[in-house]
Structures are given as structure tokens and as C-alpha cells.
Amino acid sequence: MTERAEHARLAESPTAESPWRLWGPYLAARQWGTVREDYSDNGDAWGYFGFDAARSRAYRWGEDGIAGICDRHGFLNFALALWNGRDEILKERLFGVTNNEGNHGEDVKEHWWVLDGTPTHSWMRVLYRYPQAAYPYRELRAMSAEARREDREPKLADTGVLDEDRFFDVTVTYAKAAPDDICVEITAVNRGPDPAPLHLLPQLWFRNTWSWGRDARRPALIASTADGWARVVAEHSRLGRYTLHASGAPTMLVTDNESDAILLFDRTVNPSRYTKSGIDNHVVNGVADSCQVVLPGTASQPGTKAAAWYRFDAVEPGEEVTIRLRLIAGSGHGRAFGPTFKSTMDTREREADEFYASLPMPAEADERKVVRRALAGLMWTKQIYRFRLRHWLDGDPASPPAPAARRQHYARNVHWRHLDVADVLSMPDEWEYPWFAAWDLAFHMVGFAFVDPAFAKEQLLLLCREWLMHPNGQLPAYEWSFGDPNPPVHAWAALQVYQAELAATGSGDRAFLARVFHKLLLNFSWWVNNKDADGNYLFEGGFLGMDNIGPVNRSARLPEGWWFEQSDATSWMATYSLHLMQIALELARADEAYEDVATKFVEHFLSIAQVSARFGSDSRGIWDEEDGFCYDLVSRHRPDGTVESQFVHVRSMVGLIPVLACATLEPWVFTELPNFAARLNYLLRHQPEFGQFITWQTGANGCRRALLSLLDSDKLSRVLATMLDEAEFLSPYGIRSMSAAHRDGIAVEIAGEHHGVGYEPGESHTPMFGGNSNWRGPIWFPTNALLVEALHELDEFHHGAFSVELPTGSGNRVTLGAAGQDLSRRLAALFLPGPDGRRPADGKRIEASDSPLWSDHITFNEYFDGDTGEGLGASHQTGWTALVAVLLLGWPATRAGRG
């Protein structure tokens, strides 16, 4: 291959249907406990289909596994199962406690890391850490049940099973010899002090599509050891034939991916002689007739799940054992493990090195490692997501009727019957959040823009397609409630992807920009029509992704007659207006019809800005002149028809979102788009009060520039002084989501009721939104990255003439750009060794061990302690936490200029 082999593969693979994209890490790490698999009458997804049932019960909508892959349709799946001779069940999937079992919500109790990967998945490597003692399922549940909300999450290491390094490090490596020819190498190393047994069972199986009464066609797997080769031949009506070759002489086992109805539902007979847990029962419990055991030189009867069983009775300390497999389209060949296997592995690894070397990597080795691990993890977030809402709501022909409660007007997702997804989507976290979230996905695409812009564009368009976007224009939030509003950051993400590709290639994809723009017009209208109840340009929106940031649940109803008018919702809409304006202006360079639309969004922004800035007893807005900060409002109509409003005086991230609402009109706007310039001048002549939100510059050549900003220079200075105050928002590791000035708590009155809230730098102390994330103090990457970008945007306009104290009160004045760079460094420092040689993100967990077995691996958490930087929440959030990679790659400076 050439030096830029992965780039060549990307060029060959511009669409989701491209051959190089057919196979990837699209298999979920958790399918149980999801809304898709919940057919209860009370919406208890965690309780209806839990971990214990997953080994015996066929999934309806997807599959899961450890370090696994599947085709982009999710029909044929490959993953690793293991047994240490002590576990009570085969280790086929990752374990964690449910939302009701965990003291801070759901929490995975396993250790694994994505080590490397390329965008076409021609090269992938994952490490799974498997204890040699019996996995402590019951103990972890008991510890989680006993833990109080103020306690730390009990972790696997707390049980002692990882002491003395008594675990196997199991590395799974994938290398594609061709789009449909995948070499797999699995290597296990005994890290403990004593010999230990290990069973490796790579499995191949079909998703169950035949049991629901909608498609009777049944695929088939036939395992054989004829001719001295261990293999599984898989036949599928859509995929055709695939053959999995297994090196050596494993025992081949075959069963069916069918529910054990006798065990689960107290039936008298099963739909198949062999069930989903058949291999588990044979290996672990020694049940002879629970699956087919292929004798040497013979073949099995057709099944739908198969395993190659490798047994190592005593792996010595430090010893490695390796098995190889090869999944090939067609009937395979007798040279599966010949010279091409090793050459493919070596070549793809070298090409991965070359691919990352082509990025603007930082100079420091530790920083390069963070970039590569974060981007590899980001690529591993891709999962096949299948969900046909009308079938889920109504039930399947071959299943019991769906509960009537499922179809009531108040039921979960009942108003989203149109939703019909069968696509690969980027997920927030492969275990804790194995379903897409609209605003998470937008942030993911900034990272993908650096490595796979075609995928980034496809994903942003996908959420706007008719099978996902609601007919009323709302974007789906996530499966727990598709109708929840997420912050409207889709237009921002589209601009980032467009500008990144423009910077990299010199050519921007205007067709993509136009396609996403047209759909976002509908979405913008939805926001205006549904989240501005009073029609006054002050918006509601509920929690808006920032879960428990308020003293009360902002998505819940207030006492009769009261409503929220939110600082963040209003500012998000101001920002949305500016992003749609920028897209319209870019499109207008080739089609003047878009100038009219750009004017509309300027006017909408200015109307929001004018209302937001009001203060005093006779008017209302989100700006509090006395505090120099922005707050949520609670409002109600008085009997005389006037509106009574009061601030919610809690300094939190909702008051920093107004900083994001800024955009520059570059000189080309006024020279290339005279109609837009004329309309802007007309608007300012007839509504001169709008002028306070536009700052003008005239260059030496007479060219004009303009800055549109929700906060004028005085307001911006005051807000930034609070944001950059170490006693308030500025942490050593980024901007906190709530001011540390509230450490002792603060009491506020909301709609006549008294509530308290306080700074909580770590895990949530409230069960609001399940208690599984916390916005009352921790550091979150998405909002921090947006603040970094805004500081650079403002500095670019002011040419370094606008300065702030950093930190506030220090006397050290820096430009806004330098403040943005400092914030980037603080965020990156979470993952870099500090003076003591430890990463702050590792905190006090076992990952902070001096042993290189732990310190060599980086964990990308959901959010980070506002004081210590310790990683918290979901432990594989290389969705938006992968933004650390783009910061280290120089974003936002690496995006295209606007000239």
C-alpha cells in the first residue's frame, strides 16, 4: 500500500454503504437494560431485562459482546467470551449495576481500553482485563446497595480480585486484509504470580430476526473440523456466505440464539432444542446436551450461535497464549493463517502509524498518546442502532400483545411512531449510554472531522432524516425520551465539520451544508413555536442536557401559572440564530437566495439579545446588572396582565452559555453580499436599539468587520471575571459547571417555594435524573470546548486588544486567545502526568497505581471532579471527552478562516 493507505481507503469509502465500512466495532457493549428491549407495562427498562437474563434471553433489537464487531446491519456478530474456571457464568458481556442498584446511578464494573484504531476499521486493538478469581457479581451488588449517595462508587478493585495483579490482560486485534476479510488475533497474558487456567471462546452468531413473526427466514451456522480445519460457515439471505477460520484445534460448539422459554417464562417446551445459554451451560456447568459438540472430522447441524473453545489449563506467570481467527466472505481458503495473516497485521499497524503522523500531532509524546487513544476510542463509539417504534409500541405478531399502557398519550415515546432506525450511529459511551444522544453526537463530529469528515457529515445529516427527525421539526434526544430537548448545537457542529474539511482540502462541501441547513430551518421553527411560550424571545427548554444543574428539575412543572425562562435556553437560541446565519452567508456566496434567510437570523438574534439585556422593575431579561451575571428566571402573569419575574440567583453554567453567542461578519460578507449588507443597514436604521449588540471595525483598506454578541464588552468583562475566578468557576482543570462560591449551599425561592442547592464537585448527591451525572460543580468537556472556541472567536475579532485577568484578581492580564489556550491546557492536563507522575483524571482509583499495567492506560470519563480533576460518571465517554484530542491538535485554530 502507499504511504497514505488509510486515506486512500477513506477516499474509496465516502458513504456508509461503502465496502470498507461494512464491518466495524458496531456491536454494543450492552443491549440489556435499554428502552428498546423493555416491553414492560411500567417503563422499567432496567428491571424488565437485566444482566442475569441476558445469557438466556434473545434480544429483540440488537446484540452485545466483549471487544466485538459486526456488519453494519447487525446481522452477523463476532465477540470474545472467556472463562477462568471459577466464574459461575461464561464471561460473554460486561457487568455493571443498574440505575436502581448504583449509589450514583448505573455503573460498569469492568476494565477495558480501546488502544488503537483507524477510521475504516482496517486496524483496531482493544484490551480487556479479566480477573482470575471468580467474578464478584453478588459482592458488587451488595456493596453498591450499601453505599450511600455521598460515598464513592464501589469499584471492581474494592473487592480485592485484582490484588497482586491476578488477572489476564486479553488483547484483541483486528486487521482487514480486504473489506470482507478480517484477521483477528487474541493474546492473553497472565499478569499474576501463579499459574492460572483460561478458556477463550471467540463466538460467531446471528442476531435473532426470526422469532418475532415478521420475517421467518432463518440464517444458519455450520461448524466443522473436516480436513483438519476448524471453521464455521455462516449463511445469511442478505450477507451471503462468510467463513470463520479458527487456528489450532479448538472444540467447536454450536447452539441457537433462542430464548430459554422453560427457564425464563415457565414454558413446557423451548422454541429450539438448544438455546442462547447452551454454550455457557456446557462449558461452565458441564451439561453435555446443552449444545452441539462437533467431533473431529465432522460437521454440526445448522445453528445460529457458535464458539471455538480453546482451553489453557495453566498459563504460567508472564506467559502469553495466542489464538488466531479469520472471518472471510465466501467459503474461505486453506491459507487463512499463512504469510498473508502476519503481513496484514504488520502492514495495517504501520499504516495506522502513518495515518496519525499525518495529523497535526503535538510534539510531546504523552500528548500524542492522549490524542491517539482518544480518537481510537471515538471511532469505537460507532454502534448499529435498530429501533422501529411502531413495532415496539404495538408488539410483534409472535409475541404477547403489548400492554395497553404502552400506547397511552402519556407513554414513553408514543408520539414518535415515525422513528425507524437501522443505522450505525456514534454513541456517548458503549456501556452506560449505548444509544445515541443528539447533543453528544454533535460534539463527537468535531473529532471525526479531523479523521473521517465523510462519516461526520453523514451522521449530522442522519439525525435530520425523515426516519429520525420528528415531522414537527424536533430532533430526537435519546431513547429514554426522544421528545426531551437537547441544546440546539447541530448547526454549530455542521459548521465545524465544514470548516475543518475546508481547512484540510481547500474545498468546502456546500451541498452538505445546504442539506443540513434546510432541515435545521424546521428544527429552528420547532424551538420558536414550542419553547417560547410567552412569545417574548426568552426561551424555556427544561434540563437541556445539563441534568441536575438547577435547584429544581427544570423539566418538571412549576406551581400553577409559573414558568421558567432560561438563561441557557435563551442563549442557545441566540447562538443557534448566529450559526444558521453563518451557514446562510456561506451558501449565499454561491446562491444569493440565501441572503434573505441570513437576514432573518440576524434579526432573530438581535431580538433575543435585546430582550436578554433588559433589567429593572418594569422589564425582564436574563441579565442581572447588580451581579453582572446571567440567571434563569421564573415568571408568571399578574391579574393585571403584567408579568412578574424573579431571578434564580445560582451561579452556574447556565449563566456562562451567553458567552457562546458571538459571531464575526468578515469583510467578504459586505463585499460579496451587498444585499445582505443593505438589509442589515436598513434593520439598524429602523431599530437602532439593536446597535448595542454589534461592534464595528474598519480596516486600513476601508473594509468593515462586525461582531455580533449577546454580551457587550462591559457585560462580557464582568461575566469573564466571574468565570476566571478560582473561587468561582476556574478550576486547575477547566471551568466548573457551578460556582465554587456555593460550597456552603445557597437558598433560593422559586415560584413561592424555598429550595437549596450547593456546589458538589464530584458525584451527584441528588437522585434527580437518576442521579447518574452531576452538573453542580464538575468539569464537562462539551461546554468547556465551546467556551474555548468563543474566547478564540472574540480574540480574533479584537486582534488581541481585549484582555482579562487570569486568574481574576492576580493582576496578570492576557488576551482572550491566551485565556482560551490556557483553558485548553487545563483540560488536557487531566490526562497528562502531573509533577507526581500521575494523571489527575485517575484520581484515587486503581488506575492511579504506580504499576505500568495501570498507568499505561488512559480512561476517558464522562465528567471530572471540579476540585481534583478525578474522572467520574461513565468510564468510556470517548464521545465528547474525545474533544481533548482536538484541543491538543490545535482546534479551533486549525479550522478554516472565514476570509
Side-chain angles (χ1 to χ4, degrees):
M1 299 293 288
T2 64
E3 181 182 350
R4 303 288 291 276
E6 181 64 13
H7 292 90
R9 283 188 287 270
L10 283 169
E12 295 170 15
S13 311
T15 67
E17 294 77 21
S18 301
W20 281 105
R21 299 183 188 271
L22 175 59
W23 288 88
Y26 311 143
L27 179 66
R30 177 174 64 82
Q31 182 71 12
W32 60 273
T34 61
V35 168
R36 282 159 286 164
E37 302 298 335
D38 175 21
Y39 282 79
S40 68
D41 58 1
N42 61 355
D44 180 12
W46 288 109
Y48 179 78
F49 197 152
F51 174 84
D52 294 333
R55 62 187 287 268
S56 306
R57 184 171 180 170
Y59 295 126
R60 172 63 178 88
W61 294 101
E63 294 291 336
D64 58 19
I66 297 173
I69 62 172
C70 68
D71 67 272
R72 67 171 305 274
H73 309 289
F75 294 132
L76 187 58
N77 306 272
F78 174 89
L80 177 63
L82 313 95
W83 190 49
N84 55 19
R86 296 181 174 89
D87 281 353
E88 60 192 53
I89 60 174
L90 199 62
K91 176 60 74 171
E92 295 180 282
R93 55 189 51 82
L94 302 169
F95 173 74
V97 295
T98 69
N99 209 33
N100 295 327
E101 294 171 331
N103 57 329
H104 299 113
E106 64 267 25
D107 184 52
V108 68
K109 308 297 187 184
E110 307 263 15
H111 293 282
W112 77 100
W113 299 271
V114 178
L115 302 182
D116 208 2
T118 53
T120 64
H121 312 301
S122 60
W123 170 257
M124 296 180 288
R125 179 170 280 166
V126 182
L127 170 64
Y128 173 65
R129 184 153 286 170
Y130 184 43
Q132 294 171 2
Y135 191 91
Y137 295 105
R138 294 181 182 85
E139 185 177 355
L140 284 167
R141 280 180 168 142
M143 292 170 67
S144 297
E146 293 169 3
R148 299 167 301 173
R149 187 161 290 281
E150 57 268 29
D151 295 334
R152 297 169 61 85
E153 287 278 3
K155 297 294 184 182
L156 180 61
D158 298 329
T159 68
V161 300
L162 302 175
D163 291 354
E164 300 182 277
D165 299 336
R166 293 182 183 274
F167 49 76
F168 288 99
D169 273 348
V170 185
T171 303
V172 183
T173 303
Y174 297 93
K176 293 181 182 177
D180 52 8
D181 182 354
I182 306 168
C183 301
V184 187
E185 187 170 82
I186 302 171
T187 298
V189 184
N190 181 357
R191 300 296 191 187
D194 300 312
L198 178 65
H199 300 241
L200 298 175
L201 294 96
Q203 298 185 339
L204 188 72
W205 74 99
F206 284 113
R207 182 173 74 88
N208 189 322
T209 57
W210 56 88
S211 294
W212 321 113
R214 297 187 181 277
D215 185 351
R217 291 175 298 176
R218 189 185 185 100
L221 297 174
I222 297 176
S224 74
T225 56
D227 306 320
W229 286 93
R231 66 170 76 85
V232 180
V233 177
E235 296 276 3
H236 190 274
S237 59
R238 180 163 181 176
L239 289 178
R241 173 177 291 183
Y242 272 84
T243 300
L244 178 69
H245 288 280
S247 65
T251 301
M252 306 302 291
L253 307 175
V254 178
T255 189
D256 277 312
N257 187 13
E258 294 271 17
S259 294
D260 187 339
I262 297 174
L263 173 68
L264 296 167
F265 312 123
D266 200 26
R267 304 278 173 80
T268 57
V269 65
N270 276 323
S272 173
R273 177 180 177 183
Y274 302 115
T275 64
K276 182 177 179 179
S277 57
I279 293 172
D280 183 321
N281 284 331
H282 181 76
V283 173
V284 177
N285 301 319
V287 180
D289 195 36
S290 63
C291 67
Q292 299 182 64
V293 181
V294 181
L295 298 176
T298 66
S300 71
Q301 294 298 309
T304 49
K305 179 180 179 181
W309 182 13
Y310 294 86
R311 285 171 277 193
F312 302 96
D313 294 331
V315 182
E316 295 295 326
E319 182 186 0
E320 289 186 359
V321 294
T322 299
I323 62 174
R324 295 179 177 86
L325 304 106
R326 193 161 182 171
L327 183 63
I328 312 171
S331 299
H333 55 74
R335 301 178 303 282
F337 304 110
T340 61
F341 188 96
K342 185 177 187 306
S343 66
T344 297
M345 286 283 178
D346 293 343
T347 301
R348 295 295 178 260
E349 184 171 22
R350 185 185 70 250
E351 291 166 355
D353 292 340
E354 293 163 352
F355 174 78
Y356 284 101
S358 72
L359 299 177
M361 296 290 269
E364 296 295 325
D366 285 332
E367 293 182 349
R368 292 197 301 273
K369 180 176 180 178
V370 172
V371 171
R372 188 156 176 171
R373 291 286 184 93
L375 291 177
L378 177 64
M379 295 172 207
W380 195 269
T381 65
K382 297 181 186 180
Q383 290 180 19
I384 177 67
Y385 188 86
R386 285 184 170 271
F387 203 11
R388 182 167 289 179
L389 255 290
R390 62 183 182 274
H391 288 177
W392 179 77
L393 290 167
D394 297 338
D396 294 311
S399 300
R406 182 186 294 276
R407 296 184 295 279
Q408 298 300 315
H409 69 88
Y410 55 79
R412 173 179 283 151
N413 295 330
V414 71
H415 301 297
W416 288 77
R417 290 185 66 88
H418 75 283
L419 193 140
D420 188 358
V421 199
D423 295 286
V424 171
L425 284 153
S426 182
M427 307 296 183
D429 175 281
E430 62 176 308
W431 191 91
E432 299 216 18
Y433 305 108
W435 27 260
F436 74 91
W439 83 308
D440 293 66
L441 185 141
F443 292 107
H444 301 182
M445 295 310 113
V446 183
F448 274 113
F450 276 82
V451 294
D452 193 354
F455 178 77
K457 291 185 287 186
E458 183 267 337
Q459 291 285 284
L460 292 171
L461 289 170
L462 187 56
L463 252 63
C464 296
R465 295 302 299 265
E466 57 274 16
W467 56 85
L468 274 166
M469 175 182 267
H470 198 282
N472 66 17
Q474 186 179 10
L475 292 177
Y478 38 69
E479 67 179 31
W480 286 94
S481 179
F482 287 121
D484 274 350
N486 274 192
V489 291
H490 220 69
W492 169 82
L495 274 170
Q496 296 301 320
V497 172
Y498 175 83
Q499 291 167 353
E501 190 172 31
L502 179 61
T505 67
S507 177
D509 188 346
R510 282 198 172 90
F512 153 72
L513 212 53
R515 290 175 66 195
V516 76
F517 178 74
H518 294 156
K519 287 299 188 74
L520 292 181
L521 292 176
L522 302 176
N523 182 245
F524 187 88
S525 296
W526 177 85
W527 275 93
V528 171
N529 294 330
N530 289 274
K531 295 301 176 182
D532 182 11
D534 211 34
N536 64 350
Y537 295 100
L538 292 176
F539 288 81
E540 311 97 59
F543 77 111
L544 285 177
M546 292 194 285
D547 296 3
N548 63 348
I549 200 166
V552 299
N553 181 349
R554 298 189 299 166
S555 293
R557 283 185 175 275
L558 291 175
E560 184 65 30
W562 291 88
W563 70 92
F564 263 113
E565 292 174 313
Q566 295 175 213
S567 172
D568 52 339
T570 301
S571 304
W572 284 124
M573 285 303 292
T575 307
Y576 197 7
S577 299
L578 292 177
H579 291 148
L580 289 173
M581 175 204 73
Q582 290 174 306
I583 293 176
L585 291 173
E586 185 64 28
L587 294 171
R589 302 179 85 167
D591 184 346
E592 65 180 13
Y594 286 97
E595 290 186 71
D596 293 342
V597 193
T599 305
K600 176 263 182 294
F601 287 113
V602 169
E603 184 172 10
H604 210 109
F605 164 76
L606 293 171
S607 298
I608 295 173
Q610 183 186 12
V611 172
S612 299
R614 293 175 181 167
F615 60 91
S617 58
D618 297 325
S619 57
R620 57 201 171 117
I622 60 175
W623 174 255
D624 183 345
E625 177 66 16
E626 182 177 349
D627 284 6
F629 203 70
C630 294
Y631 298 110
D632 283 347
L633 291 163
V634 286
S635 304
R636 69 172 176 177
H637 290 290
R638 296 189 183 99
D640 63 2
T642 60
V643 174
E644 171 191 355
S645 298
Q646 61 189 48
F647 285 122
V648 180
H649 279 109
V650 176
R651 287 198 294 281
S652 71
M653 185 62 71
V654 305
L656 300 181
I657 301 300
V659 175
L660 310 180
C662 60
T664 302
L665 299 176
E666 297 291 353
W668 65 262
V669 173
F670 302 101
T671 56
E672 294 183 31
L673 308 176
N675 293 329
F676 171 80
R679 291 171 187 138
L680 179 60
N681 288 335
Y682 174 87
L683 185 65
L684 294 177
R685 283 198 308 271
H686 286 78
Q687 299 187 67
E689 65 275 14
F690 285 163
Q692 64 182 304
F693 306 106
I694 304 181
T695 303
W696 294 91
Q697 287 179 352
T698 303
N701 56 1
C703 292
R704 293 193 303 165
R705 301 172 79 218
L707 175 71
L708 289 81
S709 177
L710 196 63
L711 302 175
D712 62 26
S713 293
D714 177 66
K715 292 185 176 69
L716 179 65
S717 293
R718 297 180 71 184
V719 171
L720 292 181
T722 302
M723 185 179 91
L724 300 176
D725 188 338
E726 291 176 318
E728 297 251 13
F729 287 96
L730 185 62
S731 156
Y733 308 107
I735 301 300
R736 302 173 172 111
S737 49
M738 183 174 286
S739 171
H742 296 322
R743 284 185 190 276
D744 296 328
I746 182 172
V748 294
E749 182 181 319
I750 298 177
E753 299 177 352
H754 294 280
H755 300 272
V757 68
Y759 172 73
E760 300 172 9
E763 299 279 16
S764 173
H765 290 174
T766 170
M768 192 186 297
F769 290 95
N772 59 351
S773 68
N774 186 22
W775 284 83
R776 296 182 175 180
I779 297 151
W780 291 78
F781 258 82
T783 45
N784 269 264
L786 289 171
L787 289 168
V788 169
E789 189 208 15
L791 290 171
H792 280 279
E793 174 86 22
L794 293 163
D795 186 63
E796 186 180 316
F797 177 81
H798 289 290
H799 301 297
F802 195 119
S803 66
V804 290
E805 274 190 304
L806 181 65
T808 299
S810 67
N812 176 46
R813 299 199 69 85
V814 300
T815 66
L816 294 177
Q821 291 169 358
D822 179 83
L823 181 51
S824 290
R825 285 192 292 269
R826 290 171 188 254
L827 292 163
L830 285 162
F831 306 101
L832 299 172
D836 61 356
R838 300 174 185 216
R839 286 183 289 267
D842 291 339
K844 297 179 180 179
R845 303 189 310 268
I846 193 172
E847 288 91 336
S849 164
D850 291 331
S851 168
L853 293 178
W854 294 100
S855 61
D856 279 355
H857 303 300
I858 306 169
T859 301
F860 296 91
N861 285 87
E862 183 183 3
Y863 53 97
F864 302 85
D865 189 288
D867 293 337
T868 68
E870 180 175 359
L872 303 167
S875 56
H876 290 76
Q877 198 92 354
T878 40
W880 63 24
T881 301
L883 285 164
V884 66
V886 301
L887 293 173
L888 287 170
L889 289 170
W891 179 90
T894 50
R895 66 187 178 185
R898 296 184 176 85

